[in-house]
Amino acid sequence: MINKNIIRGGVFLAALLCLAPLTMHGQSDNDTLIVEITVAAYAGYTIDIDTSGEYATIGIAEIDTLNAHTGCIMIRPVFPGPWGDTAVAEMAGLPRFFIFEWEDGANLDSLKSVYQALASVETSRIPVVFSSARPPSDIDPNDTYFSAQWEHNSANTSLNTKGDAGAWDITTVSSSVTVGFIDSGIDQDHTEFYGRIATGYNLYSGGSNTDDDQGHGTAMAGAAAAKGDNNSMMAGVCWNCTLLPVKALRPVSGSAIGEDDVIAAGIAWAVDHGADILNLSIGNSDLSIDVIPVMEAALKYAYHRGVPSFAAAGNTGIQFIDYPARSEYCIAVGAMADCGSGVRKRIGTDPLGVTCDYETSWGSSYGPELEFIVPGVALVTTTIDGSINYISDPNALASGTSIATAIASGVAALVKSVDTSLSPSAIRQILIMSCTDLQHTAGFDWNTGYGKLNSRYALEIAQAESGGYVWL
């Protein structure tokens, strides 16, 4: 059930500009709402947007009357289409979301309320801002694993990827499996991705320039898919998979942020342009947010098109999973350390007293929606200067549930390569079944989900389910 009382979850920073055939998302001086039309209104009226007059109209009488009163100057669809599957798009509700725009200085809280009161409006929302789920870095440079990728090498906490009994002994994935990164873009010239970056989309410029100007997307792509066994800098999880960059985050004050309508449009675009796996290393930790309708519609569309979405649990270290990881259509990924039980919590909040990695500025969020935990502390990954973070600055290794999510997406790509017909629910179930329980109580718990992800076991389960083997 959608909670219509959800309030704004951040500072509003975005509006939209129109560019056919897709909507170009960017900043303007105007104020916007995301308005969702009810199923009945969408079915009972012919949507006919007209912005040529003194106020914008949509073809629904009560909305047009209110637009005249409020001075709405522009209306645009969030998901303009065409979609890869119109029936699934309509089932998910994509055609029912619109951006309404007013001159700068509009009272958005009042506008939200008056539009929400209309019988033809399901939800009326101020856009919500999401940020890359990356915590501050306070890595101790004297840690013994700085010069290595412990997520692949640690005896106790690794993904079980390398060696004769590792996942890579079965497959390193072919280029036929595509991972979509809804992020800040990917460094187009990085040697770790040579020949494997598909033509993506920039939601802000409206074109195909998805070069990364912030760094977060490149870091996520490296953890998931840097080329392995090539006498170069590092190895990701899926060495040969194709990367599909969708630029839906922009640099602001050293971080990467994006608005809900921009990210939602990016999700739908990626699904329609070949993504087999979606990586959402983003999150909003506002406790007042239950679900965000425009995002939920896009995630539902992806799920029913057969594309699983992996999202970061969050870095607040509290009992609350960020959105969209909390969505029923996402797989929520937490972060673990290479010490103790692997549980990644802040000092003083961990019921098990696990503080062995000495990172005190953040913790992996936990709760009933958490599926499993993945290495996410002090990891080597790619940077936008064509290098890796360990070479650029050994004190700035990557930590957080963002990069843990990217690793999980890489494992999902391995699994998908075994059987490309696997549904999102089947992939989720295989990954859960592969997990090694880490908590004192057997089975699922809120701190670690189903436990530590094991890539080798996941592939063996997928092989057993499909009845075959893949050697690449």
Side-chain angles (χ1 to χ4, degrees):
M1 179 70 70
I2 293 175
N3 179 1
K4 297 185 179 181
N5 296 317
I6 297 171
I7 65 172
R8 178 181 179 177
V11 179
F12 170 70
L13 291 171
L16 298 176
L17 298 173
C18 190
L19 179 72
L22 291 174
T23 300
M24 181 176 73
H25 300 249
Q27 303 134 31
S28 81
D29 293 329
N30 296 326
D31 291 329
T32 63
L33 289 179
I34 301 173
V35 177
E36 177 190 5
I37 306 303
T38 65
V39 173
Y42 180 75
Y45 292 87
T46 299
I47 301 299
D48 183 17
I49 297 175
D50 185 355
T51 60
S52 62
E54 294 183 3
Y55 61 91
T57 60
I58 195 172
I60 299 176
E62 66 170 357
I63 294 179
D64 293 342
T65 299
L66 185 55
N67 284 357
H69 178 72
T70 63
C72 177
I73 60 173
M74 186 63 66
I75 302 174
R76 303 179 185 87
V78 174
F79 308 99
W83 308 286
D85 190 317
T86 300
V88 174
E90 291 184 346
M91 180 273 295
L94 302 195
R96 298 189 287 110
F97 286 90
F98 298 88
I99 297 292
F100 285 43
E101 185 173 328
W102 290 265
E103 297 283 355
D104 183 37
N107 187 332
L108 289 177
D109 287 322
S110 295
L111 288 170
K112 180 183 70 172
S113 297
V114 295
Y115 279 87
Q116 183 67 79
L118 297 179
S120 57
V121 171
E122 182 71 26
T123 60
S124 173
R125 296 286 302 272
I126 298 171
V128 174
V129 174
F130 287 79
S131 65
S132 53
R134 172 184 276 175
S137 176
D138 63 351
I139 303 296
D140 181 350
N142 293 320
D143 280 275
T144 57
Y145 52 78
F146 268 8
S147 63
Q149 292 180 261
W150 68 264
E151 69 271 29
H152 301 308
N153 293 298
S154 172
N156 298 318
T157 56
S158 78
L159 287 165
N160 198 13
T161 48
K162 71 169 193 174
D164 292 339
W168 292 333
D169 190 47
I170 296 176
T171 181
T172 56
V173 182
S174 72
S175 60
S176 62
V177 177
T178 298
V179 181
F181 293 87
I182 315 301
D183 216 296
S184 61
I186 296 175
D187 182 355
Q188 303 292 298
D189 300 318
H190 205 295
T191 57
E192 290 291 352
F193 312 129
Y194 180 76
R196 296 189 292 127
I197 302 178
T199 300
Y201 189 71
N202 186 323
L203 274 295
Y204 292 101
S205 71
S208 60
N209 181 5
T210 54
D211 205 24
D212 191 356
D213 55 359
Q214 196 277 334
H216 189 266
T218 298
M220 301 307 105
K227 179 70 174 179
D229 198 30
N230 63 342
N231 293 313
S232 187
M233 290 170 272
M234 63 168 292
V237 179
C238 57
W239 298 353
N240 301 307
C241 60
T242 298
L243 290 69
L244 180 65
V246 178
K247 193 175 181 67
L249 304 183
R250 51 190 172 81
V252 174
S253 301
S255 186
I257 70 168
E259 295 72 30
D260 50 1
D261 57 295
V262 182
I263 294 168
I267 291 169
W269 189 94
V271 170
D272 286 340
H273 289 80
D276 298 299
I277 308 290
L278 286 181
N279 186 82
L280 299 167
S281 292
I282 57 172
N284 186 297
S285 56
D286 191 323
L287 299 180
S288 67
I289 292 178
D290 182 11
V291 297
I292 297 174
V294 68
M295 289 274 287
E296 200 74 358
L299 294 167
K300 184 177 182 180
Y301 179 65
Y303 183 88
H304 287 282
R305 288 293 309 280
V307 181
S309 300
F310 291 78
N315 300 321
T316 61
I318 64 173
Q319 185 182 306
F320 184 79
I321 301 295
D322 280 6
Y323 188 86
R326 198 168 60 256
S327 168
E328 64 177 305
Y329 301 111
C330 276
I331 295 172
V333 182
M336 65 182 292
D338 185 28
C339 51
S341 71
V343 181
R344 175 80 279 286
K345 299 281 188 62
R346 293 177 189 263
I347 289 178
T349 65
D350 186 355
L352 300 180
V354 177
T355 59
C356 62
D357 60 25
Y358 302 104
E359 290 201 3
T360 60
S361 65
W362 71 283
S364 183
S365 301
Y366 57 101
E369 301 90 355
L370 182 66
E371 303 284 6
F372 43 73
I373 59 176
V374 175
V377 179
L379 302 183
V380 175
T381 193
T382 44
T383 56
I384 55 175
D385 61 357
S387 184
I388 58 174
N389 53 3
Y390 181 65
I391 294 174
S392 304
D393 181 0
N395 296 322
L397 299 184
S399 296
T401 56
S402 265
I403 200 159
T405 299
I407 290 174
S409 295
V411 174
L414 296 179
V415 170
K416 186 77 171 180
S417 71
V418 171
D419 183 352
T420 57
S421 70
L422 289 171
S423 68
S425 61
I427 289 176
R428 174 184 175 273
Q429 189 63 30
I430 287 169
L431 296 180
I432 285 173
M433 291 172 64
S434 82
C435 289
T436 302
D437 192 30
L438 293 173
Q439 200 61 286
H440 296 305
T441 55
F444 177 84
D445 61 77
W446 288 13
N447 288 304
T448 65
Y450 289 94
K452 180 195 75 170
L453 188 61
N454 187 309
S455 62
R456 171 72 184 210
Y457 294 167
L459 288 180
E460 289 177 348
I461 295 167
Q463 288 177 330
E465 293 292 328
S466 65
Y469 289 85
V470 173
W471 303 97
L472 296 172

